[in-house]
């Protein structure tokens, strides 16, 4: 891609905000500093307020009044990070898009590097965390386990230690917009649309301010979302488990019947019967539970509700 002045490219930085009033000032300072230094492209900062209950929205609108590069999307309530990011990607107008968290855990200085790779022809530039020392041991281990399980079970492989922070070309953003699903596991969708990635390494920092918005329960649900969105193996595995047990138990049945015919009725056996009944019972409950996970998602998709609703888009020039 050539970058003459005749065809200046625009890059959209897309950031979801949920109760981030403590991070906004440093975010705005860092991102505008980066943009002012990176002169070969124009910038747009798409900030999505995901139904914050603190002053986030007011502070964002304030920013947009002083700097027309800020576009503020106000959602009607808290929809979650993935829908908020989807809203930002849908509304961004840049030739390339960079999803970027509000808490400055990812270094803004890396954005020019991503842009450089994009200018050199990359369609997707992935920012890969070379170390996760800023995360707790639990989060690191659970993340490693998630990637391992997910990539074993799913035909769409998610690159390890790559968050949403990356650069995607307009073509990739358009491809994402074509995916009609309501439950948007962005990491998986990014991987699903394909395109050739270039990988850039970086170190992830601790949050600049505020607290993580993801509890352990949210992370667990997030992992389930990822698995069920991209693999049906958990559904199908029950046929094989069932088949295995059918073969085992029928062999055992032949043995018991033979023994009864030869040695007569043998009454004791309370323990083995109870164990078999309880074990098969729990196995059936687990498999019904897995079915439920999928049926619940089919239900949500079938309702066709939009993933997010926008109350208003604030731009510096349309504010009173
Ligand atoms: N976020 C959001 N909606 C939510 C939860 C989080 O828009 O319901 C935003 C949050 O404001 C931040 C980004 O998603 O910009 C990542 O959140 P966080 O830093 O808490 O996640 P972590 O880095 O701990 O995974
Ligand atoms: Mg964070």
């Amino acid at each position: 891609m050539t970058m003459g002045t005749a065809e200046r490219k625009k890059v959209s930085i897309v950031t979801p905000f949920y109760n981030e009033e403590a991070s906004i000032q440093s975010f705005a300072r860092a991102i505008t500093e980066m943009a002012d230094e990176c002169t070969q492209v124009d910038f747009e900062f798409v900030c999505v307020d995901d139904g914050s209950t603190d002053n986030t929205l007011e502070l964002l609108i304030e920013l947009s009044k002083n700097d027309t590069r800020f576009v503020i999307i106000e959602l009607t309530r808290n929809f979650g990070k993935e829908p908020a990011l989807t809203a930002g990607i849908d509304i961004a107008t840049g030739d390339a898009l960079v999803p970027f968290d509000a808490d400055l855990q990812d270094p803004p200085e890396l954005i020019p590097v991503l842009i450089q790779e994009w200018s050199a022809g990359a369609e997707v530039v992935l920012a890969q965390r070379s170390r996760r020392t800023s995360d707790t041991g639990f989060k690191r281990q659970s993340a490693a386990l998630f990637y391992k399980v997910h990539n074993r079970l799913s035909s769409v492989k998610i690159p390890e230690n790559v968050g949403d922070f990356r650069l995607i070309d307009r073509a990739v953003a358009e491809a994402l917009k074509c995916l009609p699903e309501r439950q948007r596991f962005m990491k998986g969708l990014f991987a699903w649309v394909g395109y050739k990635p270039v990988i850039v390494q970086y170190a992830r920092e601790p949050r600049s301010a505020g607290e993580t918005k993801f509890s352990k329960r949210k992370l667990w649900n997030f992992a389930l979302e990822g698995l069920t969105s991209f693999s049906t193996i958990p559904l199908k595995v029950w046929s094989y488990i069932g088949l295995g047990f059918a073969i085992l138990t029928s062999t055992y049945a032949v043995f018991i019947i033979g023994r009864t015919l030869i040695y007569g009725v043998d009454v004791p056996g309370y323990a083995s019967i109870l164990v078999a009944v309880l074990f098969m019972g729990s196995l059936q409950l687990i498999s019904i539970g897995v079915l439920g996970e999928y049926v619940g998602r089919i239900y949500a998709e079938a309702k066709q509700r939009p993933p997010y609703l926008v109350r208003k888009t604030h731009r510096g020039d349309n504010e009173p």
Side-chain angles (χ1 to χ4, degrees):
M1 212 171 299
T2 52
M3 294 227 182
T5 40
E7 39 155 344
R8 266 184 83 78
K9 301 281 181 184
K10 182 160 80 177
V11 175
S12 302
I13 310 291
V14 182
T15 308
F17 287 80
Y18 178 52
N19 292 347
E20 296 282 6
E21 62 180 5
S23 317
I24 288 184
Q25 292 315 330
S26 42
F27 165 82
R29 201 173 322 117
I31 206 83
T32 49
E33 244 165 50
M34 181 283 298
D36 295 340
E37 273 167 32
C38 186
T39 47
Q40 72 266 40
V41 291
D42 291 330
F43 280 92
E44 165 188 66
F45 310 123
V46 180
C47 303
V48 184
D49 173 53
D50 186 16
S52 302
T53 49
D54 61 4
N55 264 328
T56 300
L57 180 65
E58 288 69 26
L59 291 170
L60 286 174
I61 293 175
E62 203 52 47
L63 283 176
S64 75
K65 284 182 186 158
N66 300 327
D67 188 337
T68 52
R69 290 175 295 182
F70 282 90
V71 177
I72 316 303
I73 301 164
E74 180 187 350
L75 301 187
T76 54
R77 64 170 170 86
N78 178 240
F79 283 90
K81 181 183 176 186
E82 312 288 296
L85 194 54
T86 306
I89 291 175
D90 287 348
I91 288 160
T93 57
D95 300 296
L97 277 63
V98 179
F100 187 76
D101 283 356
D103 56 11
L104 296 182
Q105 277 193 286
D106 304 312
E109 312 85 74
L110 197 68
I111 295 175
V113 180
L114 302 183
I115 293 174
Q116 211 161 15
E117 293 287 345
W118 171 62
S119 311
E123 295 162 319
V124 176
V125 190
L126 298 180
Q128 187 171 44
R129 301 164 193 171
S130 53
R131 59 185 169 91
R132 293 180 73 125
T133 40
S134 59
D135 286 336
T136 59
F138 171 79
K139 183 143 183 203
R140 258 189 310 210
Q141 273 160 16
S142 57
L145 182 69
F146 168 73
Y147 287 117
K148 214 162 148 183
V149 173
H150 185 280
N151 289 345
R152 268 303 261 293
L153 295 187
S154 167
S155 54
V156 176
K157 310 287 180 228
I158 301 180
E160 210 161 318
N161 288 333
V162 173
D164 292 328
F165 181 37
R166 62 184 68 207
L167 179 145
I168 58 175
D169 187 76
R170 163 82 6 217
V172 182
E174 291 302 319
L176 277 176
K177 285 200 218 171
C178 291
L179 303 182
E181 55 219 272
R182 311 286 144 162
Q183 287 144 334
R184 305 191 72 87
F185 181 68
M186 293 309 285
K187 277 191 227 266
L189 297 181
F190 281 137
W192 187 90
V193 295
Y195 292 92
K196 271 229 157 357
V198 171
I199 296 180
V200 173
Q201 303 264 346
Y202 76 107
R204 190 161 158 92
E205 302 302 325
R207 241 176 182 281
S208 69
E211 281 185 352
T212 175
K213 307 292 180 289
F214 288 90
S215 59
K216 290 195 174 69
R217 186 177 55 84
K218 265 196 180 173
L219 281 175
W220 167 250
N221 285 332
F222 193 52
L224 272 189
E225 187 70 55
L227 274 181
T228 51
S229 299
F230 287 93
S231 171
T232 51
I233 289 179
L235 268 183
K236 294 177 190 155
V237 72
W238 298 102
S239 323
Y240 299 98
I241 294 178
L243 193 69
F245 272 101
I247 293 170
L248 275 179
T249 49
S250 47
T251 322
Y252 187 51
V254 170
F255 166 72
I256 293 180
I257 292 170
R259 199 179 56 178
T260 313
L261 287 179
I262 297 167
Y263 299 108
V265 185
D266 165 20
V267 179
Y270 171 76
S272 55
I273 289 176
L274 197 64
V275 167
V277 167
L278 290 181
F279 182 67
M280 290 315 292
S282 16
L283 217 57
Q284 282 163 356
L285 282 181
I286 295 172
S287 62
I288 292 172
V290 173
L291 274 180
E293 290 289 335
Y294 282 88
V295 173
R297 285 180 171 79
I298 296 170
Y299 180 56
E301 294 293 338
K303 281 187 291 197
Q304 301 250 327
R305 287 180 188 153
Y308 61 85
L309 284 177
V310 176
R311 180 181 288 129
K312 194 172 173 203
T313 306
H314 306 261
R315 290 172 203 273
D317 35 27
N318 72 11
E319 289 300 323

